[in-house]
């Protein structure tokens, strides 16, 4: 694929070399630069400093807070990944109100919403011409409804930006796996979404695919998808399986402290990505995607900034049993500092419920979260922190604080329209007549926030210890953030003490519960909420009274999305079962026998 928006290497680099390039005649590479053979590390560092975002990437970065809306057939089945066999009739929200979503999100400070127009189950939330598997075949509004349109209209009314998630992986489309046919099908869907709903600001292509070794193999035509977006919505950013916005690498709301938007990671939609990223031994989940060590080895560099996607609940879709597990204010605050405060955009998922409304618990938490941020940001204690400071390596600048300042947060910003440059900095406070270290960091980028103990000071001193060309510091601010207590975790997922349990077989895992009990659910909770290649993905669950005669309990047999979101997954049974022994026969995402430990299993007793 051709990289669009690529500007030519400027004459001063091609000609006399770097010596001739002064700060005045600084030239930039929009979105991408290739390092010609023989480029020295010093030259690469200088070029890296001048890779800049496209106008839409810059606008996107400034959004800071964006919201995901996972809504669809899974909302009505209780699953995280539907398998495409669902009856579309079951989609029937009783009081869907897209204005309720947008109004609440707007009031909570969110600047864009992205709707799962189609998730992996293939069910379309708009009346598409491409398949019957859509709202048109549902009971909702007698098949005359269009969720995408309702959301679009609400966004227009409230001045909210609007994006669509369209899953490439489709478990319903009969042509999925017949590559040319499905690619056309996907382009037709994309064309409808990008033609009939006004401006679309972000197009989100999920990379997830749980087909496994024996599943259908679809070769996606990313180039054609890319061109469709360029043609129909040239101002939209293309996320994840796209080259404008990069997946941070986890679904826990955790960015990197060192986060380079100018990165050596080649976007997955480019044919050369496997070769490039393979040679550098990196992927989306790597810690280092932009250091000098990486630059030394890389042949090209991209402006490909990070987006942190995470759900306000354990799952991406609404499940009533998670109503008590909406993330705490403390957790959301940490996520905020570890996303927006780590040079990323936060994409927080708030899934509408079966009524078609954002649940009261989520709204209450969003309001708390917004109030917390507003209170903190209301007073910036730094005087004149908004003056542009062009800082050479080693430069320091003092900032006067307002009288009687008590602070515990510092915020720094680079003018990324001129590239991302800072590699290391320190901040000191003038306390009791002397300079005292307050905090230090590596990258800044669009925004970096640091928290530290409450400090009363008269002045701050920021030092740029290492930078790629002169840094353009456009904001230095300081705030006071109220302490926020963690509420005790009420997310109990095991209702029977393991003291009396015994593992009688390891593979598959058989547990003697020590007594015969009535069960209505079991839970699989990967240890330390961490994914590993040996974890369970597909499974069968059996119960027995004597450890010899086994009865399989009907389940959907899949811990959907557990690889990316390794949180406890509770499987509710259709009816209560009696068990003294339980057996979990599971395979990994690559279809080898899974290794599950007793401590990773919980049971829920029937009342
Ligand atoms: C993942 C998907 O598999 C999840 O269901 C969810 O949509 C998340 C945002 O991306 O890859």
């Amino acid at each position: 694929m051709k990289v669009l928006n690529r500007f030519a290497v400027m004459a001063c680099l091609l000609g006399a070399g770097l010596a001739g390039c002064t700060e005045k005649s600084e030239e930039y590479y929009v979105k991408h630069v290739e390092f010609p053979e023989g480029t020295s590390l010093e030259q690469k560092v200088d070029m890296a400093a001048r890779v800049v975002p496209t106008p839409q990437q810059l606008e996107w970065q400034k959004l800071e807070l964006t919201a995901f809306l996972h809504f669809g057939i899974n909302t009505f089945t209780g699953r995280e990944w539907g398998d495409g066999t669902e009856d579309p009739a079951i989609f029937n929200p009783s009081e869907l109100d897209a204005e309720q979503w947008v109004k609440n999100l707007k009031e909570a400070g969110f600047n864009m919403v992205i709707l799962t127009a189609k998730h992996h189950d293939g069910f379309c939330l708009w009346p598409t011409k491409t398949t019957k598997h859509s709202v048109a075949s549902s009971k909702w509004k007698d098949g005359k409804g269009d969720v995408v349109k309702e959301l679009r209209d609400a966004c227009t009314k409230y001045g909210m930006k609007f994006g669509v998630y369209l899953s490439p992986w489709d478990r319903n489309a009969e042509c999925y796996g017949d590559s040319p046919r499905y690619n056309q099908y996907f382009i037709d869907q994309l064309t409808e979404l990008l033609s009939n709903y006004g401006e679309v600001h972000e197009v989100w292509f999920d990379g997830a695919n749980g087909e496994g070794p024996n599943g259908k193999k679809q070769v996606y035509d990313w180039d054609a998808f890319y061109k469709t977006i360029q043609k129909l919505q040239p101002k939209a950013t293309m996320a994840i399986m796209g080259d404008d916005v990069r997946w941070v690498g986890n679904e826990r709301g955790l960015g990197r402290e060192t986060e380079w938007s100018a990165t050596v990671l080649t976007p997955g939609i480019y044919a050369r990505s496997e070769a490039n990223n393979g040679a550098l031994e990196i992927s989306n989940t790597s810690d280092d995607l932009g250091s000098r060590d990486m630059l030394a080895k890389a042949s090209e560099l991209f402006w490909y900034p990070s987006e942190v996607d995470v759900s306000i609940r354990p799952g991406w879709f609404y499940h009533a049993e998670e109503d008590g597990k909406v993330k705490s204010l403390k957790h959301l605050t940490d996520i905020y500092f570890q996303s927006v405060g780590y040079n990323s955009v936060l994409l927080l998922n708030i899934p509408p419920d079966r009524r078609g409304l954002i649940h009261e618990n989520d709204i209450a938490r969003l309001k708390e979260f917004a109030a917390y941020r507003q209170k903190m940001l209301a007073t910036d204690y730094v005087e004149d922190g908004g003056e542009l400071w062009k800082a050479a390596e080693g430069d320091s600048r003092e900032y006067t604080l307002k009288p009687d300042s008590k602070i515990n947060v510092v915020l720094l910003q680079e003018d990324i329209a001129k590239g991302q440059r800072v590699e290391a900095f320190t901040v000191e406070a003038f306390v009791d007549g002397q300079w005292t270290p307050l905090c230090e960091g590596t990258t800044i980028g669009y925004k970096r926030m640091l928290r530290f103990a409450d400090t009363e000071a008269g002045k701050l001193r920021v030092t740029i210890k290492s930078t790629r060309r002169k840094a353009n510091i456009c904001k230095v601010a300081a705030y006071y953030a109220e302490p926020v207590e963690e509420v005790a975790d009420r997310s109990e997922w095991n209702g029977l003490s393991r003291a009396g349990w015994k593992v009688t077989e390891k593979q598959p895992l058989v547990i003697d519960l020590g007594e015969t009990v009535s069960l209505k659910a079991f839970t699989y909770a990967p240890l330390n909420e961490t994914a590993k290649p040996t974890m369970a993905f597909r499974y069968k669950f059996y119960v027995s009274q004597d450890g010899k005669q086994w009865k399989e309990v009907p389940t959907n047999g899949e811990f959907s999305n557990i690889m990316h979101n390794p949180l406890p997954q509770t499987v509710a049974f259709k009816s209560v079962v009696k068990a003294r022994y339980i057996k979990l026969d599971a395979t990994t995402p690559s279809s080898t026998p899974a290794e599950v430990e007793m401590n990773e299993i919980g049971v829920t007793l029937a009342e």
Side-chain angles (χ1 to χ4, degrees):
M1 173 187 285
K2 255 226 184 108
V3 182
L4 303 181
N5 292 313
R6 197 172 77 196
F7 281 12
V9 174
M10 302 313 299
C12 64
L13 287 178
L14 287 177
L18 291 169
C21 281
T22 65
E23 291 287 339
K24 270 185 210 123
S25 63
E26 199 161 76
E27 301 291 352
Y28 302 108
Y29 309 101
V30 178
K31 201 174 183 177
H32 174 243
V33 68
E34 251 174 65
F35 300 130
E37 274 274 315
T39 310
S40 69
L41 176 60
E42 194 192 343
Q43 286 171 321
K44 283 181 175 183
V45 169
D46 187 84
M47 290 162 88
R50 290 176 294 117
V51 175
V52 297
T54 62
Q56 59 260 50
Q57 284 180 313
L58 188 56
E59 283 310 302
W60 171 86
Q61 189 84 51
K62 290 182 190 162
L63 297 175
E64 297 194 6
L65 294 176
T66 63
F68 234 160
L69 294 163
H70 274 66
F71 185 57
I73 218 76
N74 294 336
T75 314
F76 297 87
T77 59
R79 295 184 67 171
E80 277 289 297
W81 281 358
D83 60 18
T85 60
E86 297 83 6
D87 180 353
I90 64 172
F91 179 84
N92 195 14
S94 50
E95 36 185 310
L96 186 138
D97 182 2
E99 288 198 13
Q100 187 251 12
W101 310 348
V102 177
K103 185 169 177 291
N104 277 291
L105 289 167
K106 186 82 190 174
E107 283 170 8
F110 289 81
N111 297 310
M112 171 158 65
V113 295
I114 301 179
L115 174 71
T116 51
K118 178 185 83 167
H119 203 252
H120 310 325
D121 51 71
F123 179 80
C124 298
L125 289 178
W126 79 103
T128 172
K129 292 197 176 80
T130 60
T131 174
K132 289 202 166 61
H133 202 58
S134 82
V135 280
S137 308
S138 75
K139 290 211 181 102
W140 180 58
K141 297 198 166 175
D142 293 327
K144 306 225 162 40
D146 182 341
V147 184
V148 177
K149 179 166 187 323
E150 296 207 11
L151 179 61
R152 186 63 192 93
D153 290 348
C155 286
T156 306
K157 178 165 172 184
Y158 289 97
M160 179 76 105
K161 288 201 158 50
F162 165 75
V164 289
Y165 167 117
L166 187 68
S167 170
W169 183 32
D170 188 320
R171 298 173 102 178
N172 174 267
E174 158 277 317
C175 58
Y176 186 84
D178 177 346
S179 296
R181 268 178 71 214
Y182 179 75
N183 284 330
Q184 190 52 52
Y185 176 89
F186 190 78
I187 288 170
D188 291 346
Q189 295 191 331
L190 192 57
T191 302
E192 290 179 356
L193 286 172
L194 302 188
S195 309
N196 302 335
Y197 298 94
E199 189 167 4
V200 177
H201 300 96
E202 184 163 337
V203 181
W204 219 91
F205 289 153
D206 201 323
N209 190 315
E211 287 294 325
N214 305 320
K216 291 184 179 174
K217 292 212 176 9
Q218 169 72 32
V219 182
Y220 298 112
D221 189 349
W222 297 116
D223 202 13
F225 305 166
Y226 189 98
K227 284 186 181 126
T228 307
I229 300 174
Q230 288 295 319
K231 189 171 90 196
L232 299 172
Q233 296 283 345
K235 291 194 192 145
T237 47
M238 186 176 176
I240 315 311
M241 294 310 287
D243 66 354
D244 291 310
V245 172
R246 164 169 53 92
W247 180 46
V248 71
N250 64 74
E251 295 184 356
R252 312 169 131 224
L254 189 60
R256 293 173 185 78
E257 254 186 270
T258 302
E259 183 57 82
W260 285 104
S261 297
T263 170
V264 296
L265 187 83
T266 302
I269 57 165
Y270 295 164
R272 63 187 188 281
S273 64
E274 237 179 87
N276 277 6
N277 297 334
L280 296 174
E281 296 179 41
I282 53 168
S283 72
N284 284 79
T285 58
S286 305
D287 287 339
D288 179 5
L289 293 176
S291 69
R292 286 186 186 222
D293 286 352
M294 278 292 160
L295 291 181
K297 292 186 265 178
S299 55
E300 50 188 321
L301 198 72
F302 302 84
W303 188 272
Y304 193 30
S306 138
E307 179 180 71
V308 172
D309 62 327
V310 59
S311 184
I312 197 165
R313 289 161 171 256
W316 287 98
F317 284 87
Y318 175 85
H319 311 293
E321 60 274 20
E322 293 179 355
D323 283 350
K325 294 182 182 166
V326 176
K327 287 190 171 57
S328 64
L329 176 62
K330 166 88 168 66
H331 198 164
L332 286 184
T333 306
D334 289 344
I335 287 174
Y336 174 69
F337 280 102
Q338 289 162 0
S339 55
V340 178
Y342 278 178
N343 188 31
S344 295
V345 167
L346 173 61
L347 177 57
L348 181 68
N349 178 62
I350 301 103
D353 62 17
R354 286 189 184 176
R355 294 170 301 175
L357 298 176
I358 294 181
H359 190 272
E360 291 73 1
N361 295 2
D362 306 54
I363 289 184
R365 192 53 42 77
L366 286 176
K367 284 191 195 303
E368 265 185 281
F369 181 38
Y372 183 85
R373 294 187 329 267
Q374 274 156 15
K375 187 157 185 211
M376 173 182 105
L377 297 172
T379 315
D380 173 4
Y381 291 97
V382 173
E383 312 252 23
D384 304 322
E387 274 172 22
L388 181 69
W389 170 33
K390 288 186 83 65
E393 192 153 293
D395 279 1
S396 295
R397 192 178 242 210
E398 287 181 22
Y399 292 87
T400 308
L401 294 178
K402 293 180 178 151
D404 303 322
S405 290
K406 181 163 92 171
I407 57 168
N408 57 15
V409 173
V410 159
L411 177 151
L412 302 167
Q413 289 190 274
E414 284 182 76
D415 177 6
I416 56 166
K418 299 192 176 80
Q420 185 184 354
R421 301 181 171 189
V422 176
E423 293 177 312
F425 64 89
T426 58
V427 183
E428 297 156 288
F430 200 64
V431 182
D432 296 335
Q434 53 179 339
W435 286 107
T436 319
L438 206 53
C439 53
E440 58 181 21
T442 51
T443 50
I444 294 177
Y446 168 72
K447 190 168 272 190
R448 179 79 170 88
M449 286 186 263
L450 300 102
R451 292 187 283 184
F452 44 85
D454 296 0
T455 303
E456 286 173 42
K459 281 187 290 184
L460 290 183
R461 183 164 70 186
V462 180
T463 303
I464 303 302
K465 292 177 70 182
S466 172
T467 181
R468 302 172 176 181
R469 291 175 83 95
K470 275 193 174 174
N472 298 288
I473 306 297
C474 59
K475 177 116 179 140
V476 173
Y479 304 102
Y480 179 72
E482 295 284 336
V484 40
E485 293 294 311
E486 186 56 294
V487 283
D489 181 15
R490 285 176 287 125
S491 54
E492 266 306 313
W493 51 268
N494 180 29
L496 183 67
S497 161
R498 291 199 194 90
W501 295 16
K502 229 179 1 210
V503 173
T504 60
E505 226 178 286
K506 277 192 143 172
Q507 189 59 261
L509 179 71
V510 176
I511 301 173
D512 176 358
L513 299 175
E515 59 182 300
T516 299
V517 287
S518 297
L519 301 180
K520 61 174 187 183
F522 85 97
T523 297
Y524 171 48
L527 277 192
N528 306 321
E529 298 186 349
T530 303
K532 48 183 183 182
T534 51
M535 75 198 297
F537 173 46
R538 295 212 163 86
Y539 67 89
K540 286 185 173 180
F541 188 79
Y542 303 85
V543 288
S544 167
Q545 310 252 23
D546 57 8
K548 293 183 195 111
Q549 301 277 341
W550 291 95
K551 197 171 98 195
E552 186 180 347
V553 184
T555 62
N556 67 46
E558 184 184 271
F559 298 118
S560 307
N561 200 32
I562 197 105
M563 306 78 114
H564 302 119
N565 198 21
L567 298 181
Q569 288 206 9
T570 297
V571 179
F573 305 142
K574 291 203 172 67
S575 51
V576 171
V577 294
K578 273 201 172 329
R580 156 89 193 234
Y581 298 84
I582 56 174
K583 174 156 77 179
L584 183 72
D585 193 357
T587 53
T588 65
S590 45
S591 299
T592 53
E595 289 166 24
V596 179
E597 293 179 26
M598 185 175 85
N599 289 348
E600 296 179 304
I601 299 297
V603 291
T604 313
L605 302 183
E607 282 92 35

